[in-house]
Amino acid sequence: MAPHLLLLLRILFFLTGVSDAQSVSTVSHVSVKQGGSITIPCLYDLRYRNNVKYWCRGYYWFGCSTVVRTDHPKTSGKTSVSDDINQRVFTVTMTSLSPSDSDYYWCIVERKKEADDGVRLQISVTPGTPELYVDQQELTGVVGGSVTVLCYYSSQRSSGRWCRMGGSCVAVGHSRALDGTFVKLVQDQSRTTNGYVLMVTMSGLMMENTGWYWCEKGNLQMPVHITVNQPTTTQSTITISPSVTNRDNVETTENTDEKHQSWLEFLFIPLSLLVVLIAVTLVTFKMLRKHKDKKAKDQPPNTTVQSADSEQNITYSTMSHTRGSTQQDPLPDDAVTYSTVVTKNKVQPNIPLPDDAVTYSTVVTKNKTQPNAAEPDDVVYSTVAQHQR
């Protein structure tokens, strides 16, 4: 633009009451696809927190038409406005854009006792792919984590930058701290289906990093809002980024692998304990069985030897004879000897002895001719013992 025209514009700003001071700032030029939407942040000075802000359309401020205001109306057609006095930013959102919406617009702060303050920007709506765009204008990260922004552009004629609204910028090829957070820019030299890619990674996030940023390529900017939250107990450091070609599939596969690995780690300990328990049980059972078999093998056959003189197998037999005189005469050959023997088992008296048991008995014979001549002291006790053949 010619120097004399710039001077004329400055004079017009002064005469119409709009200051060119940087009390209000925004992006200078954005490119939007037809049918899409765009959110424009307008950063203002702290002293304007309680002022009314408005969005105006037109090349010149004194000839622009007000579209929406933070007091009324906040919504008009496809355009709406909201004011965040804590972040000192009022944002304007335009949806369902068409080529007819391509124009110059103004972010303006209304001042009652002095001239209004504002800044101008340009919005270009194109039927094809925008010259610079992002998949998402709103991204979220956690304290200590990182966030990645992918900015797509159609031409490599100029280098890219990443800037914080109202702050400083980091250019491609440089990695440094931006507001206490490490920023790294990588510009892909190969063209993808979405165009070339400028990848911005912010790591070591802090709560103070919440705010508006923009990708810059040539004279175009694309605003991006990043929200940093405190991590929860179940939330670890994460990286959030829009998807590149095949990026969704890669992230999905990585997440699936992590879940499988977590399940395997969770099941490994109980399964290992179960295997050890089964092995110990089998070894113990085998040792007990081996010991039992050895004991049975070493034991001698079960033989029962019964003492001939066992008291339980003693049979008492009572016998008597009659003597005619002190000196007993020998009996003739035809003398008859009577002996009654009853065998009993003291332990089991009702069980008869086996047939092959031999009974030995000492017997005193009686005289057949004098059977009744026995004296009372002529009782003889004989001991009978059974012997097993």
Side-chain angles (χ1 to χ4, degrees):
M1 186 176 291
H4 64 277
L5 184 56
L6 287 175
L7 179 61
L8 178 61
L9 288 175
R10 290 179 181 272
I11 295 174
L12 288 174
F13 281 137
F14 177 78
L15 294 175
T16 53
V18 176
S19 172
D20 61 346
Q22 293 299 314
S23 297
V24 181
S25 60
T26 187
V27 293
S28 60
H29 188 191
V30 296
S31 178
V32 189
K33 186 177 181 179
Q34 180 178 346
S37 61
I38 186 68
T39 297
I40 302 296
C42 302
L43 180 67
Y44 54 84
D45 194 84
L46 180 62
R47 66 180 184 270
Y48 295 153
R49 290 182 59 182
N50 298 321
N51 290 57
V52 175
K53 294 88 180 178
Y54 61 95
W55 178 254
C56 196
R57 179 175 180 173
Y59 187 82
Y60 297 108
W61 173 81
F62 59 86
C64 71
S65 59
T66 301
V67 180
V68 288
R69 296 169 57 93
T70 56
D71 55 354
H72 183 78
K74 291 186 177 181
T75 302
S76 176
K78 302 180 294 182
T79 307
S80 61
V81 63
S82 62
D83 189 10
D84 185 349
I85 61 175
N86 295 321
Q87 294 291 325
R88 297 183 292 108
V89 175
F90 74 94
T91 56
V92 178
T93 301
M94 301 176 66
T95 60
S96 303
L97 292 171
S98 63
S100 62
D101 294 315
S102 298
D103 207 340
Y104 288 90
Y105 294 85
W106 291 80
C107 298
I108 302 178
V109 176
E110 186 178 74
R111 298 188 295 184
K112 295 181 178 179
K113 296 183 180 180
E114 52 186 323
D116 293 346
D117 193 357
V119 64
R120 188 181 66 181
L121 70 147
Q122 182 181 0
I123 297 177
S124 299
V125 181
T126 174
T129 302
E131 295 182 48
L132 178 66
Y133 71 96
V134 292
D135 288 329
Q136 295 176 312
Q137 280 192 269
E138 300 275 345
L139 297 177
T140 304
V142 296
V143 173
S146 62
V147 64
T148 299
V149 182
L150 300 176
C151 304
Y152 303 97
Y153 57 95
S154 59
S155 174
Q156 286 187 315
R157 288 177 294 179
S158 59
S159 61
R161 295 197 307 169
W162 175 255
C163 304
R164 177 155 191 177
M165 183 168 290
S168 57
C169 300
V170 178
V172 172
H174 298 81
S175 300
R176 65 180 184 85
L178 181 64
D179 295 335
T181 300
F182 183 76
V183 179
K184 181 179 180 181
L185 275 69
V186 177
Q187 186 167 304
D188 193 351
Q189 301 297 326
S190 60
R191 183 179 179 85
T192 67
T193 56
N194 297 324
Y196 300 99
V197 179
L198 173 63
M199 183 169 65
V200 181
T201 301
M202 299 179 62
S203 56
L205 293 173
M206 302 180 296
M207 294 293 293
E208 295 79 7
N209 297 132
T210 296
W212 281 96
Y213 300 80
W214 72 68
C215 289
E216 181 176 285
K217 191 71 174 175
N219 65 337
L220 290 169
Q221 298 88 33
M222 177 52 62
V224 176
H225 186 267
I226 295 177
T227 303
V228 181
N229 298 320
Q230 289 289 350
T232 61
T233 55
T234 58
Q235 191 175 26
S236 58
T237 302
I238 58 174
T239 299
I240 305 174
S241 64
S243 59
V244 197
T245 305
N246 297 328
R247 188 180 183 87
D248 288 337
N249 294 335
V250 173
E251 291 178 349
T252 303
T253 303
E254 291 176 353
N255 293 334
T256 304
D257 292 341
E258 290 177 359
K259 291 180 179 179
H260 289 169
Q261 184 178 357
S262 299
W263 274 107
L264 289 175
E265 291 176 355
F266 178 77
L267 294 176
F268 177 76
I269 295 178
L271 287 177
S272 300
L273 293 177
L274 181 60
V275 170
V276 172
L277 181 61
I278 292 174
V280 171
T281 303
L282 291 176
V283 171
T284 304
F285 178 77
K286 187 175 181 180
M287 291 179 65
L288 290 175
R289 186 173 181 180
K290 185 177 180 180
H291 179 72
K292 185 177 180 181
D293 293 343
K294 183 178 180 181
K295 185 176 180 181
K297 183 178 180 181
D298 295 341
Q299 185 175 359
N302 187 14
T303 57
T304 303
V305 178
Q306 188 170 359
S307 174
D309 296 330
S310 177
E311 184 181 358
Q312 64 181 2
N313 291 327
I314 296 176
T315 302
Y316 296 91
S317 174
T318 302
M319 298 192 172
S320 62
H321 67 275
T322 304
R323 292 185 297 181
S325 62
T326 305
Q327 182 71 30
Q328 184 178 355
D329 296 328
L331 294 173
D333 295 337
D334 57 352
V336 178
T337 300
Y338 300 93
S339 175
T340 303
V341 179
V342 179
T343 60
K344 292 183 179 180
N345 191 327
K346 279 188 177 182
V347 178
Q348 295 177 335
N350 296 326
I351 300 177
L353 292 174
D355 296 337
D356 55 356
V358 179
T359 303
Y360 298 92
S361 175
T362 303
V363 181
V364 178
T365 61
K366 294 181 181 180
N367 194 328
K368 199 172 183 182
T369 58
Q370 297 177 341
N372 298 323
E375 295 294 333
D377 58 345
D378 289 333
V379 177
V380 178
Y381 298 93
S382 66
T383 301
V384 180
Q386 293 80 26
H387 293 270
Q388 192 77 20
R389 285 182 180 178

